[in-house]
Every structure is written in structure tokens, then in C-alpha cells.
Amino acid sequence: MKNNLLDYDLNSLTAWFAEMGEKPFRARQVMRWMHWSGAANFAEMTDLAKSLRAKLEEKAQIGVPALMTSQESKDGTRKWLLDVGTGNGVETVFIPESDRGTLCISSQVGCALECTFCSTGRQGFNRNLTTAEIIGQLWWANKALGATPKDERVISNVVMMGMGEPLANYENVVRSLSVMLDNHGYGLSRRRVTVSTSGMVPQMDRLKEDMPVALAVSLHASNDAVRDQIVPLNKKYPLKELMGACRRYLVKAPRDFVTFEYVMLDGINDKAEHARELLKLVEDVPCKFNLIPFNPFPNSGYDRSSAENIRVFRDILQQAGFVVTVRKTRGDDIDAACGQLAGQVKDKTRRQQKWQQLLVQQ
């Protein structure tokens, strides 16, 4: 079977070329062709000798996910469903803004963490994505979006906030981050690449040492009792441990704060008392808050917090001196908003079937 060169970062690609008796600069050339130029085959790599191109054709491929569907929202948000084989598809979302273009990338087919307010978590889990399938989303979107008239890339920021828990697919995610940050890959700044986690404490400590990029934590609750219910991972790594990991991460982080994401669920976590509890929880963790109005999906069992509750919650945090944003709901008309990504998952956990049985019983 041919090696997919999108599975390699510069170090591993250099080692692979060395095994073939080729010099290290060949790996840099091929990286630039694949990621700068979006080359999909070796024939395009015109500064490589024909004999090397023939050798690469024999031993390797540039295997990118195929497009299944493409949608564009009325607000300019774009969503692509990409085929990752055996009936599975993952969703990737591009969000254009006046000062940046952000690509939201998936790391798994489905998700195993079962956060109760997330449609990705509701549909079950199939497998981790390979490095090629992760970086292939950036490759594909870069190609689809093209460049500006000044030849600047449209994608300026990447967030690992799509389907899946990135730190549950640690090795492949870190290798993908290496390609994103490498000047022979996509040349993105560590400050412009964000990994979002639900709170996998040991992996947060590893990421701090291996590839410290900007960190976002899906917090969603101000106490363990609520978080145990809506983010089951909290039973393994409760809030005290999670806050400790956040403090440790900031020692090497490219930004001097953690972003806490907080989905606003009516009557669950959106009261003034929750906001005040939150202030005590994070008092020694430099942070900012991103409040996310809940994006409904069928049979979720939750409602979006009222605009007034969100305003009061935000004001309490702001008055204590924190930077707080209320996320605009982008792309919800094409189910591309936060928590709505569903992809196409052959569910190994049979979670969808269990949910249907539960709904029938009710």
C-alpha cells in the first residue's frame, strides 16, 4: 500500500526520504508543494527530477478526503462534508469575518465523550481520524477558498473545535499541528491555532510540552454537580484538577489566558448564582469567557437561555474584570453552528439506537 504523504510532518517526512537515499531538502520541497501549492499529485512538482517523481509515484500518494457535500450559509459560513471511507463523513466549517478567516476542523468521526448538549456526542463514535484526514481538511478548504488578490491565504486561523475531542486523538492531532505551524507547511502562528478540549488533564500537560498552541476549554458549568451531568468526563477529571491543568498550561502557552467556552442552557447553568460561582472557580486562572447560546437540535432536551439571562450572566463576569464575548450564531441555517456538527457516522457505540429506544419508552 502506498504511503500517504499527508500523514507526515517535516521530521517524519525527512526520515522517510532518508530511507530512500534522498537528501533532507527534498522533504522540504515536497512539503511546500503539498501544503503551499495544494499539489494533489507528483507530476505537478516540476522542480523535482523526473526520476524522483517516478519513485514517489511508485511508493506514495497525496491522499485527500473526497467532497461529499458543500453548503453555504446566508452569512457566508461554509460547511463541507468530507468522505473518510467506510460510509463515514466529517464536517469542516469555514467562518469568514472582517479581520480573519477561521477554519473549524474535526479530529474524530463522531465523539465518545457524550456531552449531553452536543449533537456530535449524541450520534456516537466510530474512530480517530488519521493525520492525513485531519490536515486534509485544511488542505481541502485552502484549495476550495483560493487566495486573496494579494496572494494571502483566506484561512488565517484554525480551531480544533469540530467533531470529536482532539486530545483523545493525541498523536495524530499533534502531528497535524506540527504541519500547520511549520513554515514549509501552512506557517500559522501558535497564537492563531487553538485546540479545544473538554478537560483531558494528562493530555493537556503533554500538549504543553509537545506543541503549546492556544487553549480553549469546554467548561459549561460552574460546579462539579452540574458538570458531571452535562460533561461526563468531569467525573474522571473534576474541576479542581482541570483548573490546575489550565494554570500549568499557561506557563508555556502562546497566549497568556485560557478561553473558557460556556454553552448557555436554559435553567441548567445560566443563573446569576452560576456566574458568581464561576468567578470563584477561576479566580487564579487568567482567562476570558466565550458564552455560546445553545444551538438546538432534535430531541436535545435543552432550550437556549433567554437573551436577558445571557446579558445578566455576561454583565456579572464583565463587572469582575473579565473579557467576555457572546458568540454570534453563525451558520445555524446549515447546521454549522457550535454543537450542531453531525457528519455521517457508522456508530460503533450504538448510541443513536439507544437514544431512539429511550425516546420510544418516554
Side-chain angles (χ1 to χ4, degrees), residues 11-23:
N11 286 340
S12 54
L13 190 61
T14 301
W16 185 76
F17 270 91
E19 287 173 15
M20 293 202 302
E22 298 290 342
K23 293 197 164 43

Side-chain angles (χ1 to χ4, degrees), residues 269-285:
N269 64 357
D270 65 341
K271 297 172 184 168
E273 66 201 61
H274 293 129
R276 287 189 283 270
E277 201 170 38
L278 205 50
L279 294 176
K280 291 179 184 174
L281 177 69
V282 305
E283 60 186 354
D284 59 351
V285 180

Side-chain angles (χ1 to χ4, degrees), residues 220 226 230 262 265-271 274 301-303 305:
H220 310 311
V226 173
I230 64 176
Y262 197 100
L265 302 169
D266 185 46
I268 305 293
N269 64 357
D270 65 341
K271 297 172 184 168
H274 293 129
Y302 294 109
D303 293 313
S305 298

Side-chain angles (χ1 to χ4, degrees), residues 130-166:
T130 65
T131 300
E133 290 164 342
I134 296 169
I135 207 69
Q137 296 170 66
L138 178 52
W139 185 99
W140 206 99
N142 228 29
K143 193 97 164 169
L145 293 166
T148 67
K150 293 182 182 177
D151 207 31
E152 296 166 340
R153 289 199 166 159
V154 176
I155 298 166
S156 63
N157 294 60
V158 171
V159 293
M160 299 288 297
M161 295 182 186
M163 296 169 63
E165 162 59 58

Side-chain angles (χ1 to χ4, degrees), residues 9 26 38 43 71 135 137 177 224 226 244 279 283 299-300 352:
D9 61 8
R26 293 301 184 195
Q71 292 176 276
I135 207 69
Q137 296 170 66
L177 294 173
D224 284 319
V226 173
L279 294 176
E283 60 186 354
N299 304 313
S300 70
Q352 290 167 310

Side-chain angles (χ1 to χ4, degrees), residues 25-61:
F25 77 91
R26 293 301 184 195
R28 297 193 290 272
Q29 279 181 297
V30 171
M31 280 275 288
R32 289 195 293 269
W33 273 111
M34 290 191 299
H35 301 296
W36 284 10
S37 305
N41 58 69
F42 301 114
E44 296 176 52
M45 301 182 183
T46 51
D47 59 352
L48 300 185
K50 283 186 179 179
S51 58
L52 177 54
R53 279 183 266 166
K55 192 192 291 190
L56 290 173
E57 198 70 53
E58 181 186 337
K59 295 177 178 293
Q61 62 174 324

Side-chain angles (χ1 to χ4, degrees), residues 281-301:
L281 177 69
V282 305
E283 60 186 354
D284 59 351
V285 180
C287 62
K288 63 184 252 187
F289 291 96
N290 188 4
L291 305 183
I292 306 169
F294 173 65
N295 293 306
F297 57 90
N299 304 313
S300 70

Side-chain angles (χ1 to χ4, degrees), residues 82-93:
L82 300 176
D83 186 356
V84 291
T86 60
N88 291 304
V90 294
E91 291 184 333
T92 303
V93 175

